[in-house]
Amino acid sequence: MTTVSPDPQLVPPPAGRPPVAPPGTEGPRSAEPIPSLLATRRSGPARLWRGRPDDARWVRPALLALLSATGLLYLWGLGASGWANAFYSAAVQAGTQSWQAMLFGSSDAANFITVDKPPASLWPMEIAARIFGLSSWSILVPQALMGVASVGLLYLAVRRWATPAAGLLAGAVLAVTPVATLMFRFDNPDALLVLLLVAAAYTTVRATERASTRWLLATGALVGLAFLTKSLQAFLPLPAFALVYLVAAPTTLRRRVLDLLAAGAALVVSAGWWVALVELWPADSRPYIGGSQTNSVLELIVGYNGLGRITGNEVGSVTGGGAVRGGSVWGATGWTRLFSSEYGGQAAWLIPAALAAAAALLWITRRAPRTDRTRAASLLWLLWLLGTGLTISFAQGIIHPYYTVALAPAIGALVGLGATRLWSLREHAAARIALAFGVAGTAVWAAVLLSRSADWMPWLRYAVLLLGVGSALAILVVERLTLRAAVVVAVAALVSALLAPAAYSLQTAATAHAGSLPSAGPTVTGGRGFGPGGGPGAFGDRPGGQGGPAQTTGGAFPGGAGQLPTGRAGQALPGAAGRPGGAGGGLLDASTPSSTLVAMLQADSGSYTWVAAAVGAQSAAGYQLASGLPVMSLGGFNGSDPWPTLAVFQDYVARHQVHWFIGGLGFGGANGGSSATSEISSWVAANFTARAVDGVTVYDLTAPTSGTATSDSGA
């Protein structure tokens, strides 16, 4: 008679003892026996409020409070930013009017040219605008909800391998990171990028627990969708996901490798279908791929939006990029970039604490088994932080401070994991010393960052210092305190760490932001002019930077005074006022047309495919959003894409497909890009009459003439 050994996972534990998890799957959840499902079954609001049966009573209310506070921070006064980045808002408008525009990410409903990114970030906003109508709220509310969802998913990802307190702290750090507050209230692609990458981290955690191929395939699919959001930036945390599964999944090496290959295939399918569709679609029946010089999405992905961001070799960019004395055209590069005046207040408040926490966790788990979850979690978030942080730090191409939002989830996770683990070991002197130094160091660093905005809430830096140093001293003797006193110390330490970034976040939420270069927080000393509008004064010569009013001598570039960073003067289109921004818009901010000009664009609009043409997508976007009608964006975002050529534009005009040409600043030929827009503007000036309408120079392309310019007050 054959004896069958029972499955050890199915053997009930001895009386009075809790169930034991299978090897390699142990987690730091409560060791108390889990009551039977029938005994704990709840319904509706009761279950929502109480949460999981093994949670302490405070966990679910605390989570709901965190999510509610995050939603309030991200949604309050959201409409004050108007169209935010009009470049993307105009594309959303186009997607509500044309399904083809929605598929390709066109800037206008007539499908002339696309935005210079893949279209996934536009889709949620376009769906919302199709349902609720086009407005600032229908565009920005999906972004805010993505922020709330990111906080919730980060909580879930961290608490699976740690404690609810670790997950809550991680979520709170993400929620109050100033650049996260900025980008989850804005319509750039970064909001969806962060949400998808945090979701991919969560599925990686689930996959690693039991070597689940299904969850790992989900990781690949999510990263692929993130690629369709912001191209190669989505791949920066990918090595972290792959290495954690390869190291810590409880299965054979062969199975782990095969699972990773399958996940790679899922990524290729998830990202590749749209790339293949665009490349195979006949070029003459789809919009031109904005940001490329060859009408190729592959060139856009690998070049302008890919390796060019690292090397600075970005053909068609407004700058030459690459290395210059002290860094690159886009600021100093190197280890200290994330802590500089331009970047520090965005996301660097807790980077030192996160790195210290990772080091402590890796030391604590140095002798743990291969599948140890604490070490796996530390590697996951540390590699994410290092990979993304180093790329931003040393990139010589186009780089903006708001890119640091991609660091916030990793920073939050490491702080949550490290702080709670060291607190649980506070009976040991080494843990207390590490915690005390972390709290005090964070307070000192926060005071340094706050001192860069000396006139903004000057008392705050002293309050943070006092609270941080005081709680750090108390942590050194916390083992001698009562439980209630220890809780007070822990709360004081958390407040000291989060108070300054939370204050920056509140200031960010209370400030309207628009244009291409938004920045979180108040004005700082030593910045390069990244103002809330991102328009005139961005990169300008002015003291201060983030959030302050522009004080420029006339250039929307590092050189100021209308100079491109390479030294070339910006070319003024016929009739241009010789300045960036203003009613006619500029490279970084949208136009603000008067009601008279809008009425002129709308008159007899049904007779034309495009009511107007303007150089640069930001300038065109303002006219399009105001009129509700397609406006041709000549040369794409920078005005340096080779579309349309002069001959093609002449053909559009001859067939009466374009009514008006709107003057402004042109950047044709920038950094090796096409000079087609300069040729077009010269041809327009030579063959059509200019007139000024409320400060904007326009040409009627249906009435060629060589006469002198006329003037129309428009009032």
Side-chain angles (χ1 to χ4, degrees):
M1 178 175 168
T2 303
T3 303
V4 179
S5 300
D7 187 340
Q9 298 185 28
L10 302 180
V11 176
R17 293 184 56 189
V20 179
T25 65
E26 299 85 352
R29 301 172 189 167
S30 172
E32 298 177 0
I34 301 176
S36 69
L37 179 62
L38 292 177
T40 60
R41 186 180 299 276
R42 302 178 184 89
S43 61
R47 183 173 180 83
L48 176 66
W49 184 256
R50 179 62 180 87
R52 293 175 9 178
D54 56 334
D55 278 345
R57 289 187 176 277
W58 58 267
V59 172
R60 185 52 60 93
L63 175 61
L64 294 176
L66 172 62
L67 297 179
S68 298
T70 303
L72 183 64
L73 176 63
Y74 293 169
L75 288 166
W76 186 265
L78 194 58
S81 293
W83 296 119
N85 191 341
F87 174 62
Y88 292 115
S89 292
V92 172
Q93 180 198 54
T96 64
Q97 299 172 351
S98 165
W99 288 107
Q100 186 178 8
M102 183 174 179
L103 174 64
F104 290 109
S106 300
S107 291
D108 63 280
N111 291 291
F112 176 73
I113 196 169
T114 70
V115 298
D116 58 0
K117 300 288 188 300
S121 67
L122 301 173
W123 293 339
M125 295 183 283
E126 288 167 338
I127 292 172
R130 281 181 176 269
I131 295 173
F132 300 106
L134 183 71
S135 69
S136 175
W137 281 90
S138 63
I139 289 175
L140 297 180
V141 166
Q143 308 293 94
L145 296 180
M146 289 177 198
V148 177
S150 298
V151 170
L153 277 172
L154 183 61
Y155 163 81
L156 293 174
V158 171
R159 73 107 359 126
R160 278 198 79 82
W161 287 355
T163 63
L168 289 168
L169 180 53
V173 170
L174 171 58
V176 301
T177 299
V179 72
T181 301
L182 173 71
M183 298 316 296
F184 287 126
R185 295 172 57 90
F186 211 67
D187 58 339
N188 278 23
D190 302 78
L192 182 60
L193 176 71
V194 170
L195 173 62
L196 291 171
L197 292 181
V198 172
Y202 173 76
T203 57
T204 300
V205 167
R206 296 297 301 267
T208 306
E209 286 179 354
R210 296 181 180 273
S212 170
T213 305
R214 180 183 62 180
W215 281 106
L216 198 62
L217 291 176
T219 297
L222 287 166
V223 175
L225 189 53
F227 175 85
L228 293 185
T229 300
K230 212 175 178 189
S231 300
L232 293 183
Q233 187 178 346
F235 289 172
L236 295 181
L238 191 58
F241 302 154
L243 185 62
V244 165
Y245 187 83
L246 184 64
V247 169
T251 189
T252 63
L253 178 61
R254 179 177 180 275
R255 165 78 182 280
R256 281 174 270 155
V257 171
L258 291 176
D259 283 350
L260 287 171
L261 291 175
L267 186 157
V268 170
V269 172
S270 177
W273 70 269
W274 184 83
V275 176
L277 181 147
V278 175
E279 288 294 302
L280 296 175
W281 197 292
D284 59 358
S285 62
R286 62 160 171 78
Y288 185 92
I289 303 303
S292 74
Q293 296 295 308
T294 61
N295 197 16
S296 168
V297 71
L298 290 176
E299 180 212 329
L300 175 67
I301 290 169
V302 177
Y304 183 77
N305 279 338
L307 299 179
R309 300 287 173 129
I310 299 175
T311 65
N313 183 21
E314 297 171 292
V315 176
S317 167
V318 295
T319 76
V324 297
R325 174 186 278 184
S328 80
V329 171
W330 296 94
T333 60
W335 301 98
T336 61
R337 179 184 248 181
L338 295 179
F339 307 99
S340 66
S341 295
E342 298 160 26
Y343 288 77
Q346 306 301 296
W349 303 88
L350 290 165
I351 287 180
L355 294 174
L361 291 169
L362 292 176
W363 175 259
I364 291 171
T365 58
R366 65 192 184 280
R367 295 190 179 92
R370 175 179 65 83
T371 57
D372 182 76
R373 291 181 174 180
T374 299
R375 183 172 57 203
S378 304
L379 288 174
L380 173 65
W381 301 108
L382 177 62
L383 293 175
W384 176 332
L385 177 60
L386 292 178
T388 303
L390 291 175
T391 301
I392 294 174
S393 295
F394 289 91
Q396 295 177 352
I398 295 177
I399 197 78
H400 303 310
Y402 66 77
Y403 288 6
T404 56
V405 68
L407 303 174
I411 295 170
L414 288 172
V415 170
L417 289 165
T420 55
R421 185 60 183 270
L422 289 173
W423 181 258
S424 70
L425 299 173
R426 61 188 180 276
E427 68 274 11
H428 301 288
R432 294 196 303 275
I433 293 173
L435 268 177
F437 270 100
V439 171
T442 298
V444 171
W445 173 233
V448 172
L449 291 175
L450 289 170
S451 68
R452 295 174 180 174
S453 304
D455 296 331
W456 181 78
M457 299 179 67
W459 57 268
L460 184 59
R461 79 193 76 157
Y462 303 110
V464 169
L465 266 178
L466 181 62
L467 192 59
V469 174
S471 56
L473 293 174
I475 287 173
L476 292 175
V477 295
V478 71
E479 85 285 0
R480 303 178 185 176
L481 304 179
T482 64
L483 178 59
R484 180 171 296 181
V487 170
V488 171
V489 170
V491 171
L494 291 176
V495 171
S496 71
L498 299 181
L499 182 58
Y504 257 55
S505 289
L506 288 172
Q507 191 277 345
T508 300
T511 304
H513 293 84
S516 297
L517 296 179
S519 190
T523 301
V524 298
T525 301
R528 294 200 313 154
F530 296 96
F539 299 124
D541 296 326
R542 68 181 179 87
Q546 297 136 350
Q551 300 172 5
T552 180
T553 55
F557 304 97
Q563 297 292 317
L564 295 174
T566 54
R568 293 187 299 272
Q571 295 175 303
L573 289 174
R579 59 175 175 79
L587 176 68
L588 302 176
D589 62 330
S591 51
T592 53
S594 66
S595 58
T596 301
L597 184 53
V598 171
M600 190 174 72
L601 295 177
Q602 293 173 334
D604 197 25
S605 60
S607 302
Y608 306 94
T609 305
W610 295 274
V611 296
V615 175
Q618 280 284 19
S619 181
Y623 298 111
Q624 179 171 298
L625 288 166
S627 66
L629 299 165
V631 174
M632 181 182 288
S633 172
L634 301 175
F637 185 87
N638 296 323
S640 57
D641 294 348
W643 186 249
T645 62
L646 175 58
V648 169
F649 186 76
Q650 289 172 332
D651 182 60
Y652 284 138
V653 173
R655 290 189 281 131
H656 293 275
Q657 289 186 282
V658 188
H659 192 179
W660 299 97
F661 183 93
I662 303 174
L665 286 183
F667 305 95
N671 193 25
S674 171
S675 60
T677 55
S678 298
E679 297 170 3
I680 290 171
S681 65
S682 298
W683 175 76
V684 169
N687 293 277
F688 299 88
T689 300
R691 61 171 173 165
V693 179
D694 292 338
V696 177
T697 304
V698 298
Y699 300 79
D700 186 349
L701 298 180
T702 66
T705 178
S706 58
T708 58
T710 63
S711 178
D712 183 353
S713 67

